[in-house]
């Protein structure tokens, strides 16, 4: 595989840099730099996505027939890398990245016409209804009941860890439509309007007491919620198949561009901060060894992703490879936040509830240490979740053992 950029890809990379310099405004840059979970608020995210949409770049992974870019592998890689190096907001919200591929693959013509244009325009925001209080990694045990009543399902039960449900207009949701000996056969996939009577959203408080606009997770309760059967994706009882298809897109992302950008930040911090024995942290032999070990793994993951995504461009299915990318990507994300915590030293220790408000004019509260230090510990703790969500690392090992090794 030729990993060199073609001249047209280099020209495209320059175009991407020019777009980012203009569209990624100072307000977004400042807020992301001080975000404890790498999120903008909804208004800023929509503003950014609409700028990408106006450029025609909002859905790099979509087929061109539905509004995708039709980019080559080199263009897609250049776009992802430049976005990551600039620290620009992600284009991968749940509608664009997860729900849309399922609707494209299994939805009816009416469902495609209803949902895909509004996802592409960002006029509708989506959340994911998978995990339940007693069903996380063992998702097949989910119990949210959906009983037929005429041409509707009536839902009773709950979902948990519903990321950004407070912003969502719609939810793609797994429900139990029957009780089978094989639990997966009783699961169906529904699209649910979050304005439907009987839906209640309650925030789940986290230890960092997130600032306004940074609250992430929720519980979602369903009390006799009526959902039209026309909102079901595909066949009743086949939702598990559709869910597995979706997880390829949730797990099988390009991690290397973002990891490379995070490594660059760690190196900058390590050049500025002092080691215990004197000199810069970057020159400390033990820290430098750990930094090099992680960087080698990131470069290996980068080469692997390029090879895998080249195959996808030729029509290859992602399959169990998505578990491998998710496993390695999660581990590297955590390892890099550990390096950042070590590099920043004592300046990463003070707890700051709202890092953004402390920078506003007229404030009389000052943080210890440089601006970059305030988000390092919150990011470290926030990234502990990466080895759990979208299927824990243990689940990914099991999938690869079964589907790749035949164990």
């Amino acid at each position: 595989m030729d990993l060199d950029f073609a001249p047209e890809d280099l020209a495209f990379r320059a175009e991407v840099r020019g777009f980012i310099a203009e569209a990624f405004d100072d307000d977004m840059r400042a807020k992301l730099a001080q975000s404890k979970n790498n999120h903008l608020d909804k208004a800023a995210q929509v503003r950014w996505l609409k700028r990408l949409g106006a450029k025609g770049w909002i859905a790099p992974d979509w087929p061109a027939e539905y509004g995708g870019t039709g980019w080559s592998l080199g263009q897609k890689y250049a776009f992802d890398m430049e976005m990551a190096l600039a620290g620009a907001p992600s284009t991968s919200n749940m509608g664009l990245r997860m729900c849309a591929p399922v609707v494209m693959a299994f939805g009816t013509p009416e469902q495609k016409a209803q949902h895909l244009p509004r996802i592409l325009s960002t006029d509708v925001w989506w959340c994911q209804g998978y995990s339940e209080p007693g069903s996380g990694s063992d998702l097949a045990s989910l119990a949210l009941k959906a009983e037929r009543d005429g041409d509707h399902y009536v839902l009773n039960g709950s979902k948990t860890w519903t990321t950004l449900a407070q912003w969502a207009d719609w939810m793609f949701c797994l429900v139990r439509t029957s009780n089978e000996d094989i639990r997966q056969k009783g699961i169906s996939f529904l699209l649910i309007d979050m304005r439907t009577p009987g839906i209640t959203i309650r925030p789940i408080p986290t230890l960092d007491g997130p600032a306004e606009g940074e609250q992430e997770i929720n519980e979602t309760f369903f009390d006799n919620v009526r959902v039209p059967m026309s909102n079901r994706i595909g066949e009743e009882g086949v939702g598990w198949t559709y869910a597995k298809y979706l997880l390829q897109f949730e797990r099988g992302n390009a991690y290397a561009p973002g990891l490379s950008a995070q490594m660059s930040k760690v190196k900058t911090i390590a050049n500025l901060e002092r080691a215990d024995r004197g000199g810069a942290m970057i020159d400390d032999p033990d820290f430098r060894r750990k930094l090099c070990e992680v960087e080698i793994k990131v470069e290996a993951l980068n080469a692997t992703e390029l090879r895998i995504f080249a195959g996808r461009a030729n029509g290859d299915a992602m399959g169990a490879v998505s578990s491998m990318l998710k496993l390695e990507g999660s581990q590297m994300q955590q390892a890099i936040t550990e390096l950042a915590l070590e590099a920043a030293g004592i300046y990463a220790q003070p707890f700051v509830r709202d890092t953004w408000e402390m920078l506003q004019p007229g404030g009389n509260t000052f943080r210890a240490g440089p601006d970059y230090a305030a988000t390092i510990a919150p990011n470290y703790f926030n990234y502990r979740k990466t080895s759990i969500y979208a299927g824990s690392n243990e689940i990914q090992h099991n999938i690869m053992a079964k589907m790749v090794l035949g164990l």
Side-chain angles (χ1 to χ4, degrees), residues 313-336:
N314 295 328
D316 296 349
M318 180 72 79
V321 169
S322 63
S323 291
M324 187 262 294
L325 295 183
K326 198 273 177 182
L327 178 68
E328 285 299 309
S330 297
Q331 291 174 337
M332 290 303 97
Q333 286 173 330
Q334 292 180 340
I336 293 172

Side-chain angles (χ1 to χ4, degrees), residues 39-316:
H39 286 158
L40 293 170
D41 59 27
K42 184 179 180 180
Q45 287 196 48
V46 170
R47 187 167 79 249
W48 170 250
L49 290 170
K50 285 192 177 294
R51 289 174 184 175
L52 284 167
K55 184 71 172 175
W57 288 358
I58 193 173
D61 296 314
W62 285 29
E65 64 183 290
Y66 292 114
T69 58
W71 285 340
S72 67
L73 174 68
Q75 289 175 307
K76 178 66 167 60
Y77 178 83
F79 177 78
D80 287 342
M81 184 60 75
E82 293 304 320
M83 291 277 283
L85 291 175
S90 171
T91 61
S92 296
N93 66 25
M94 292 185 184
L96 287 164
R97 186 180 69 188
M98 293 188 281
C99 184
V102 175
V103 174
M104 291 177 196
F106 305 107
T108 63
E110 293 77 15
Q111 289 169 338
K112 293 175 185 179
Q114 177 184 1
H115 295 296
L116 294 181
R118 294 198 295 168
I119 292 174
L120 195 64
S121 67
T122 69
D123 291 331
V124 172
W125 205 267
W126 289 77
C127 64
Q128 180 182 37
Y130 273 27
S131 294
E132 297 181 7
S135 301
S137 294
D138 181 21
L139 189 58
S141 66
L142 66 88
L144 173 58
K145 186 180 294 186
E147 298 180 309
R148 286 197 187 199
D149 182 19
D151 58 357
H152 283 72
Y153 289 108
V154 179
L155 275 58
N156 284 283
S158 66
K159 294 290 180 179
T160 193
W161 315 124
T162 321
T163 302
L164 302 181
Q166 75 273 18
W167 295 351
D169 304 293
W170 282 74
M171 171 189 283
F172 53 94
C173 187
L174 294 180
V175 299
R176 182 155 300 283
T177 45
S178 65
N179 293 300
E180 309 285 344
D181 292 338
I182 300 175
R183 296 176 299 175
Q184 290 86 341
K185 291 185 177 181
I187 294 172
S188 298
F189 195 113
L190 297 184
L191 307 180
I192 302 172
D193 187 335
M194 294 295 282
R195 297 166 298 180
T196 307
I199 296 178
T200 303
I201 299 168
R202 296 178 188 167
I204 298 177
T206 52
L207 285 174
D208 64 349
E212 183 178 356
E214 294 202 347
Q215 188 253 318
E216 280 190 273
I217 52 176
N218 303 271
E219 297 175 286
T220 308
F221 298 91
F222 300 82
D223 182 11
N224 291 320
V225 174
R226 297 182 64 84
V227 178
M229 291 180 63
S230 59
N231 286 12
R232 188 187 70 223
I233 292 289
E235 300 176 42
E236 185 173 284
V238 189
W240 188 255
T241 297
Y242 311 141
K244 289 193 296 182
Y245 180 81
L246 182 150
L247 285 171
Q248 294 183 40
F249 296 91
E250 184 176 9
R251 295 168 180 165
N253 299 304
Y255 287 87
L259 295 172
S260 297
Q262 292 173 39
M263 285 295 293
S264 179
K265 292 180 182 178
V266 170
K267 290 177 184 178
T268 299
I269 295 169
N271 271 295
L272 294 172
E273 298 298 334
R274 314 303 292 176
D276 291 341
R277 48 184 97 168
M281 276 295 297
I282 195 73
D283 296 321
D284 180 83
D286 185 53
F287 180 82
R288 195 174 185 86
R289 173 186 58 79
K290 289 184 281 189
L291 187 71
C292 290
E293 288 175 351
V294 173
E295 189 160 31
I296 289 170
K297 292 180 179 179
V298 170
E299 288 301 318
L301 181 60
N302 185 35
T304 301
E305 287 179 350
L306 286 172
R307 175 176 55 80
I308 290 169
F309 294 131
R312 286 190 68 192
N314 295 328
D316 296 349

Side-chain angles (χ1 to χ4, degrees), residues 338-349:
E338 291 166 10
L339 289 172
L341 195 69
E342 182 175 352
I346 60 172
Y347 290 129
Q349 293 180 14

Side-chain angles (χ1 to χ4, degrees), residues 21-43:
E22 181 179 348
F24 187 24
D25 59 49
D26 291 342
D27 178 66
M28 290 181 189
R29 292 176 188 271
K31 286 186 176 180
L32 268 179
Q34 294 302 313
S35 170
K36 294 190 286 186
N37 53 18
N38 296 311
H39 286 158
L40 293 170
D41 59 27
K42 184 179 180 180

